[in-house]
Amino acid sequence: YLQLHTWAKYELARRYGQPVPKRIPAHWLNNRWSQEWGGLVDAIDLDRHFTNRTPEWVTKTAEEFYVGLGFPKLPETFWSRSDLFAARPGEKRLKNSHASCWHIDLQDDIRSLMSVEPNAWWFNTAHHELGHAYYFISYTRPEVPPLLRTGANPAFHEGIGELIGMASLQTPYLQSRGILPADHREDETAALLDFALGHAIPFMFWSSGTMTHWEADVYTRNLPPSEWNARWWKYVQDLQGVEPPAGAGSRGEEWCDAATKTHINDNPCYYYSYAIATVLKFQFHDHIARRILHQPPQPCNYANNREVGEFLRKMLSTGATRDWRLLLRETTGEDLSTRAMKEYFAPLMAWLEKQKVEQSRIKEGH
């Protein structure tokens, strides 16, 4: 994280023609909560490859991914009862902008709330949300009582969504869907850097750092409301290395910036699940790449591989009937571990260390 933080603040200072700061100003990043630092790598711009696609194509392609692994098509009611696309101009309603998927009756009524657009972010998100849908489908069977029709733990549900979201951004898969041309040659370092910034490392410090600590202070340590915003920004500064747009101390208690996050205002105390899910997705992905596909983890392709589908189905079909620790050990051969994540980003870490040396030389005027 420190290496990425150093790279990002030097890169952003260069872009904006500003001195290199100690902490990254929040308005230099394109995510409201600084939880993901996407869009910083010039060499990675997938959105331009979606210009001739439709939102409907994005969601149907996500369904096809799972069907190709051997899962059934989604129920017709999913398409008729879900709210998948942005509100049309003139509609007198507001939509929660955070995507979600729901098992309404613990049987066949599965619905999703999204606002899909034809771009890389929604392509990834649609694959993620349907991961929840196919988890629902997998454990909806007589052997799993309704009360246990949920993930092995909450992080498993998010981990499966994150896993398929990760798979959806792999270059060979994008080529197989016709999104990237067959002759596309990827800058592997740039791809790793973009993925680390946008889907993994800053997110860990946000989810298991700022979110979890602030909620613990509010709900278990009775932090007075008069101190909520100051404590929020203290964690953002101390744990994320990010400061408010107008500098430290500029966000007073007339604001409650934490409450702009949907997982605080309508689904509290959940972000630890996303943190653990981020670790799990790399463990699942590493197992699939190395032991099933026999491919390197970075550029591998799950598409239409029934053995991958069978691996996932066995894990998902148990619901919450098995201890998640045993299930993880049986499916991947190891306990919860950041080993796979560290190995995935090892080439990037070596590159970042070289960049830090170069940035230090620039700062010293050499």
Side-chain angles (χ1 to χ4, degrees):
Y1 185 76
L2 291 174
Q3 297 278 15
L4 288 172
H5 189 277
T6 300
W7 180 88
K9 69 183 182 182
Y10 272 82
E11 172 62 19
L12 289 166
R14 180 191 65 78
R15 290 188 188 187
Y16 297 132
Q18 299 293 319
V20 177
K22 179 181 179 181
R23 299 186 183 94
I24 299 173
H27 62 293
W28 285 16
L29 299 164
N30 67 3
N31 179 274
R32 185 185 304 178
W33 307 279
S34 306
Q35 70 184 74
E36 298 164 347
W37 301 357
L40 300 187
V41 183
D42 291 334
I44 303 297
D45 177 19
L46 293 176
D47 286 351
R48 60 192 174 92
H49 297 287
F50 286 86
T51 52
N52 295 321
R53 310 291 182 175
T54 66
E56 292 79 7
W57 180 89
V58 169
T59 49
K60 283 293 186 180
T61 299
E63 181 190 37
E64 289 169 7
F65 179 95
Y66 294 91
V67 173
L69 298 182
F71 289 94
K73 287 190 172 183
L74 291 167
E76 283 301 315
T77 52
F78 173 85
W79 302 104
S80 62
R81 297 173 180 174
S82 293
D83 189 349
L84 298 174
F85 309 115
R88 293 184 294 275
E91 280 191 273
K92 295 182 179 180
R93 67 183 182 118
L94 296 175
K95 287 186 67 174
N96 186 330
S97 61
H98 188 92
S100 56
C101 193
W102 303 92
H103 201 186
I104 301 298
D105 61 355
L106 300 180
Q107 291 286 343
D108 302 320
D109 192 349
I110 296 168
R111 310 182 196 183
S112 181
L113 174 69
M114 294 191 278
S115 296
V116 179
E117 298 176 14
N119 58 42
W121 193 90
W122 275 108
F123 188 77
N124 171 272
T125 299
H127 283 73
H128 174 114
E129 295 306 328
L130 294 197
H132 292 297
Y134 279 101
Y135 210 154
F136 301 150
I137 289 170
S138 297
Y139 56 57
T140 300
R141 54 195 187 94
E143 294 83 357
V144 179
L147 287 177
L148 298 179
R149 290 179 187 175
T150 186
N153 68 23
F156 262 68
H157 239 299
E158 297 302 338
I160 294 301
E162 283 289 291
L163 172 70
I164 305 305
M166 181 179 187
S168 75
L169 297 179
Q170 301 282 314
T171 294
Y173 175 64
L174 293 171
Q175 290 174 314
S176 74
R177 300 298 94 184
I179 297 166
L180 291 178
D183 61 353
H184 176 79
R185 293 295 175 265
E186 185 172 69
D187 182 331
E188 294 180 3
T189 299
L192 276 178
L193 178 61
D194 183 71
F195 192 75
L197 291 168
H199 298 276
I201 307 303
F203 182 80
M204 289 292 291
F205 283 72
W206 152 260
S207 56
S208 61
T210 297
M211 284 287 288
T212 301
H213 285 74
W214 186 86
E215 289 191 290
D217 287 348
V218 170
Y219 301 129
T220 68
R221 302 187 184 101
N222 299 314
L223 181 70
S226 60
E227 300 177 22
W228 282 6
N229 217 37
R231 185 64 56 86
W232 175 261
W233 281 105
K234 175 175 171 40
Y235 286 136
V236 172
Q237 292 173 109
D238 293 350
L239 302 179
Q240 294 179 257
V242 173
E243 65 179 15
S250 62
R251 298 294 292 175
E253 295 302 331
E254 68 272 27
W255 313 107
C256 187
D257 293 314
T260 64
K261 189 64 190 172
T262 192
H263 289 86
I264 283 177
N265 64 46
D266 67 13
N267 191 16
C269 299
Y270 191 71
Y271 249 74
Y272 74 93
S273 299
Y274 285 99
I276 298 171
T278 302
V279 176
L280 286 173
K281 79 175 175 183
F282 284 98
Q283 288 187 262
F284 297 151
H285 180 74
D286 186 80
H287 178 88
I288 290 170
R290 297 183 189 276
R291 301 189 186 183
I292 298 177
L293 300 176
H294 305 291
Q295 299 174 12
Q298 290 83 0
C300 70
N301 186 8
Y302 299 8
N304 301 318
N305 190 293
R306 295 303 176 98
E307 191 176 354
V308 173
E310 187 59 25
F311 166 77
L312 292 172
R313 188 181 297 102
K314 285 182 179 178
M315 183 164 56
L316 305 186
S317 64
T318 62
T321 62
R322 302 288 310 285
D323 184 300
W324 71 269
R325 299 166 187 84
L326 295 177
L327 185 62
L328 178 62
R329 197 174 302 132
E330 290 171 3
T331 52
T332 68
E334 64 180 351
D335 296 322
L336 186 68
S337 169
T338 58
R339 174 203 60 79
M341 183 191 293
K342 289 190 289 185
E343 290 183 5
Y344 189 90
F345 290 120
L348 176 64
M349 187 66 176
W351 181 85
L352 285 168
E353 288 172 348
K354 292 179 182 178
Q355 296 302 301
K356 187 172 72 170
V357 172
E358 182 63 27
Q359 287 167 337
S360 297
R361 293 178 63 188
I362 293 172
K363 185 175 182 181
E364 292 167 6
H366 298 306

